Amino acid sequence: MNTVKPPLSDDLARVLIDEDSISKRVSELADEINAKYRNIEEPLILVGVLKGSFIFMADLVRRLTIPHVVDFIAISSYGKKGTERGEVRLLMDTRENLAGHHVLIVEDILDSGSTLSYLIRTFGARGTKSVETAVFLDKPARHVIPVDIQFRGFEIPDVWVVGYGLDYKERHRTLPYIAEMIPEK
Ligand code: XMP
Ligand code: MG
């Protein structure tokens, strides 16, 4: 194993969550999910919100022991800046028919709550058996719309974070840790 770590990029302030902490927490979340859904009859459908959730999803599903299917959606949201409510629209829907299944939405980060509240409502109207959420990061200071989160990785302060799927203008998405950006002047 190569243990020499490249230096932190100069637009990043600090590492907020390191690789080992991420790995340990994702294992704990997978244990909780395995326990909660151990008796389901149909496979659990995990729906990842692109692009930010793809690394969290990949790490999570490789630790699941229950029957499951992986799917993704893409959304766009408007009105994030300057308005209280972001308007969310589906750009790419699931390939799976969700009816009759337990669904777990897999999201990178909970901010205002508009994305998840929209998705919970939309999937709940499709004849699903249940719709729950696994969120890697949560920024409680930013919540506007209350959302029920069943599986939560870490609470973080109100700073812009990148890595582990999260980006700033597509930068830093594939860093193996979560880092805090230095705000642009
Ligand atoms: P809402 O407001 O719908 O937002 O809960 C969820 C989405 O906001 C984005 N987001 C971030 N993306 N670093 C990012 O890379 C952040 O610190 C951050 N905060 C919010 C993200 O796309 C998420 O899906
Ligand atoms: Mg994003």
Side-chain angles (χ1 to χ4, degrees):
M1 278 282 277
N2 178 12
T3 52
V4 180
K5 296 222 166 88
L8 203 61
S9 169
D10 61 10
D11 55 353
L12 301 181
R14 61 185 172 126
V15 175
L16 215 57
I17 311 171
D18 66 25
E19 277 186 77
D20 287 347
S21 311
I22 292 174
S23 170
K24 186 166 166 279
R25 188 70 191 118
V26 173
S27 291
E28 290 168 356
L29 292 175
D31 289 346
E32 290 174 30
I33 293 168
N34 286 327
K36 178 140 189 193
Y37 294 100
R38 69 183 179 281
N39 291 324
I40 56 173
E41 283 155 19
E42 301 292 326
L44 174 68
I45 302 184
L46 296 109
V47 179
V49 184
L50 290 173
K51 300 179 191 173
S53 72
F54 83 110
I55 294 179
F56 177 40
M57 174 72 100
D59 281 351
L60 191 63
V61 291
R62 284 178 293 170
R63 291 162 161 106
L64 294 184
T65 51
I66 48 162
H68 64 276
V69 170
V70 178
D71 208 336
F72 287 96
I73 54 161
I75 52 151
S76 74
S77 49
Y78 301 100
K80 278 226 170 105
K81 291 190 188 83
T83 56
E84 286 280 280
R85 264 195 133 99
E87 193 188 309
V88 182
R89 204 160 54 91
L90 262 186
L91 293 181
M92 183 190 85
D93 209 335
T94 57
R95 298 224 178 169
E96 300 297 319
N97 179 356
L98 304 183
H101 285 268
H102 294 280
V103 171
L104 183 63
I105 302 169
V106 177
E107 173 65 312
D108 54 357
I109 186 164
L110 172 62
D111 190 276
S112 71
S114 42
T115 306
L116 279 175
S117 67
Y118 167 82
L119 291 175
I120 293 166
R121 221 177 327 115
T122 304
F123 294 160
R126 294 183 179 181
T128 45
K129 282 191 175 151
S130 68
V131 180
E132 299 204 315
T133 52
V135 168
F136 182 63
L137 299 177
D138 183 13
K139 281 184 183 172
R142 300 267 312 165
H143 292 184
V144 177
I145 304 170
V147 179
D148 256 354
I149 302 298
Q150 283 71 38
F151 309 97
R152 178 189 334 252
F154 299 92
E155 278 193 9
I156 59 163
D158 183 14
V159 293
W160 195 264
V161 291
V162 292
Y164 202 64
L166 291 140
D167 70 302
Y168 176 69
K169 298 180 180 170
E170 293 303 323
R171 270 174 70 80
H172 301 310
R173 200 187 282 287
T174 60
L175 288 175
Y177 47 81
I178 292 287
E180 175 183 341
M181 291 284 303
I182 296 171
E184 266 182 354
K185 281 176 201 92

